[in-house]
Amino acid sequence: MKALELEEISVYYGPVRGVENVTLDVEEGEIVALLGANGAGKSTLLKAISGIIHQKQGIIKFFGEDFHRMSPHRRVVGGLVHVPEGRRIFTALTIGENLELGAYGTKTGRVERSERLSEVLAMFPFLKEHFKRLAGTLSGGEQQVLAIARAMMSNPKVLMIDEPSLGLDPQKIDIVYDLLQEVAAIGTTVLLVEQNVKLALEIAARAYVLQQGSVVLSGVSSSLINDPRLSDAYLGKAADGDH
Amino acid sequence: MSLLLNELGNGIFLGAFFGLIALGYSMVYGILRLINFAHGDFFMVAAFVSYTVLGAVMVGHSHTHWFTVVWVGLLVMVLTGGLATLANQLVYRPMRRAAILSMMIAAIGLSQVLENGVLVTPGWGATYLVYPVTTPPSGFYVGSNHFTWGQLIIVVISGLLGLGVYLLVGRTLLGKAMRAVSEDQTAAVLMGINVDLVIAIVFFIGGALAGAAAVMTGVYYGQINYLMGFTVGLEAFTAAVLGGIGNIGGAVIGGLILGIVQSIGTGLFGAEWAIVVAFAALVLMLWFRPTGILGERVARRM
Amino acid sequence: MTAVLEIEHLTLRFGGVNALNDLSLQIDQKALHAVIGPNGAGKTSFFNCLTGYYRPTSGVARFQGSDITGLGAAKVAALGIRRTFQNIRVFPKMSVLENVLAGGHLRATANLLSITVGGPGFRQSERELHKEAMASLEFVGLADQFNNLAGDLPYGMRKRMELARVLIANPIVVLLDEPAAGVSSVEREELSRVIRRIHDNGTCVVMIEHDVDLVMEIATEVTVLDHGRIIASGLPEEVRNDAEVIRAYMGRDRK
Amino acid sequence: MVVLAAFFPQFTQNQYYLGVAFQAEMLMCLALGLNIVVGYAGLLDLGFAAFFAIGAYTTGILSTKEHWSILASIAPGVVIAVICALIIGFPTLRLRSDYLAVVTLGFGEIIQTIAINLNQTGGPTGIYAIPAFSIGSIVVNSNAGYYYVFLILVIIFALFSTRLRYSRLGRAWLCIREDEDAAKAMGINISHYKLYAYMFGAVLGSITGSLYAPALTAISPASFGFSESLLIVMAVAIGGLGSVWGVMFGAAVVEIFPEVFRQFAQARLLIFGILLVFLMVMRPRGLFPERAFQGLGARLRSRFFKSIDPAALIVSDGVKTSGPRAEEP
């Protein structure tokens, strides 16, 4: 079953192109990476899927269901969760409150919510220790962990995460990526936006490479990692220097 | 000393009203960054609605049934909350993308609509109306100062309502959602929070509190007027800014401080200077602590 | 070698995070200096510290030998350091010409008195400024757009207009934050030519850019930031083949 | 249009029409003053009538008690207004502009309260028997006369506003309104220019007040309250923020609309409020925002800077492009 299908998605910010005619799909249970340099349109695509910006044209299907007219908060209730770039945790709320809000959309009862909370806290023991701390006092890596944990509170079918390694030092990146693998191991489909190519391809089964808003390359990770065109998309074409 | 105690008592009493109305300003500002100039007029309309309803149910009764006053008060709270929510849905929500300046002008327009609406409504109009129910003068002495039971009950009810809002915002899932929306609307949407609904609820709560304050004002002062919302609204907003706008505790504390300052100022200079004292306090406050007593400094980032 | 900008041990901390970590760097007056690095490396924070939008936690920035750390943004601009913004900040409800005139705000000599009461000074100053503004617009190839609203321009043109707005001030240093981001390849050529011309006129150019091809093409020096630190610095070719730079861009293996 | 306005009193001898007409002109003057603050600099001032009051009371007091001529009393009014603008503006302009709205509102209330409670200002009844406005041997003592005085004032204010708008001052204000951070990058000292806006607004408001006092011969605190401030804000908001023509149109609407619908008595303000809300929801920038009158404004402006014609400055050998180039040089 396909968890996500995008057909010919285009997004514009006023006169500015965000993405153009992007078609891609994600199988249930798969980890798929979206790669590309800064400004290539990766985040824009995630925002279009979660509905916080409107696509100009194209179709987005979530488990076969057309998402077109569904408002963004209802997409979350449907099981599609988006961890945005820069984590966007609620800094004035405690860690516990952030987590509770993660389960806000899923209209479960108080008991189920607290059950879910203990499940998630079991996965993220660090957060359990600091349950009552203000989230704004966490470091970057800790905030990223919180953002993932918060997303997991709603028991999502698909987790979209934008640049989880951004601004983190290498040990923290390892922790975050281990977590992502754990999340995938329990059956969550993951759509990962990442600049750090090697990192992303290590855990993703497949990847799409965006350049200037369009898909220029796609395939399974093992073959992409050695594709010279991939490095072109980041460091430019002129590998031998043309001066 | 005894004079000071008297002013302090009056100040707390006045502050209770300010605080209740300030809460509405503060909550709406916290979530939309909008100074809702119409808020004071929600309070005023509530006073007139309660006047009419109470007048109708009191017909034929020779003395006051306080139980009736309570349920009418609750009814008026719901109606005023509904009015505030309706205003949000019709005016502010379609303007979510407009400049804040335009929103404030719309708020002023709305305030004019409510005031003049009351003015032209048959049976309401421009004159002072005598409220159908008033608190009895009996009370108690603290030292040589006399306070009425009515004053005490009003302070207690205001305190309870304030506490209720404090708990709602601080403890419940809905309250957490409100704080989330006020910090980052997009992130709140990504939690599955229906931001429009949360904003509507905030308007409802603010309106309901103004409704409660209106009934108590009517009962205590015994008369109402279509312009009563303007000054009180102004003072309540000042209170909200004093306490640190957007902050629930701040609204209550700001209300109390303003009430005390004004009541002492009135004692010193006379009632006609009350509003001058209030604004002087505000300007001084903004000089020394621009974010208010409990407001936190917003990090300057681009 | 005359360093127009000297940055020493610049550190900027947000909450618990080090956005900039002990940055030291000298930029030559004759340089076209590119600052590159992955997203979140601290490039824009670096610009914001230099131009008075952020106050660095510690460290010093000097401009022509004098300390500019902690000066306000308007003061820094008045010294001759001008910048563009990552997400272009035009004044949308003003015409293209007026946007550029605004850039020449400090060059207009008319004072309050001559503006309000009158006198030849005002008209003279306005006429001079209009000439300069049109010249700047021509420089970036937008002279024929002068009467359009800035908000109505397509993206690439807005970028060029922002450049004209910087140029009219006759800056000593210009800081360009991602000049080529989000523009088409045709507009990119146009921009790169304009940037080179600015540099040829003797202005020191410092630019943040993600388009590595463009950087390789026009920059004379490159500094690479990652996690708020400088990981490489030097000539474009050197930097390009630096193993650490490739690692910063492509990432590293785990464990 | 100006010509039409100039001959208006020739068409009608009806004092009521003339009265409404000069009230409308007066509101235009005030709206032009507020437009500098709200329209140009983007600062919401809800106590603008205070400056109007300062001018009116200064003139009223000086002319009745000290027997100054009206013309001479304008200057001290302006000075007091500017000082007040500095006192109230200095601490608050550093703040977010929505706070400014409240502080200015409070300032308006304070000025009105002072007018009501001081003996020197005549208390609630105000000042009466203010002498007529005169220049040399010309004494203005009819509605038609004041109609012309205010007509001239409107024209002066409109030209002055236009001049400010197209000077570095006006550009700096617009930059601040549009984007403060970017304005700083232009080297614009934000708080200075906000203060300037506030001061210029105060000057225009105060001058209008100084001429209003002799026109009505009596002034009282009731004319300078929040509702007056509100009328001025409405004029600016309805007409179009920042547009000189729009603001004048707005002032005319605000003054004349309720007069036309006088038979509906109190309901007219209700209708008016509804229309204002509706307008803000539908057109948040007013009916005729800047550049809607582009043609007219541009013509006026080129007349103004006769010799500055940007189009003539385009040199043919420049890098002239508009869109994709065919080939690279």
Side-chain angles (χ1 to χ4, degrees), chain B residues 169-195:
Chain B
V169 173
R171 300 284 167 80
T172 66
L173 191 62
L174 178 66
K176 287 161 196 165
M178 286 176 189
R179 283 184 282 151
V181 172
S182 102
E183 182 172 337
D184 186 338
Q185 290 200 8
T186 307
V189 170
L190 293 178
M191 300 296 101
I193 296 171
N194 184 344
V195 170

Side-chain angles (χ1 to χ4, degrees), chain D residues 27 226-236 254-255 269 272:
Chain D
L27 194 61
F226 179 65
S227 54
E228 185 68 22
S229 291
L230 208 60
L231 281 184
I232 311 169
V233 171
M234 283 195 212
V236 174
V254 168
E255 187 60 42
L269 286 175
F272 205 70

Side-chain angles (χ1 to χ4, degrees), chain D residues 58-59 62-63 67-79 133-135 210-211:
Chain D
T58 309
T59 292
L62 290 178
S63 64
H67 306 291
W68 286 39
S69 82
I70 301 295
L71 204 57
S73 73
I74 291 177
V78 165
V79 171
F133 175 73
S134 61
I135 303 176
S210 285
L211 291 174

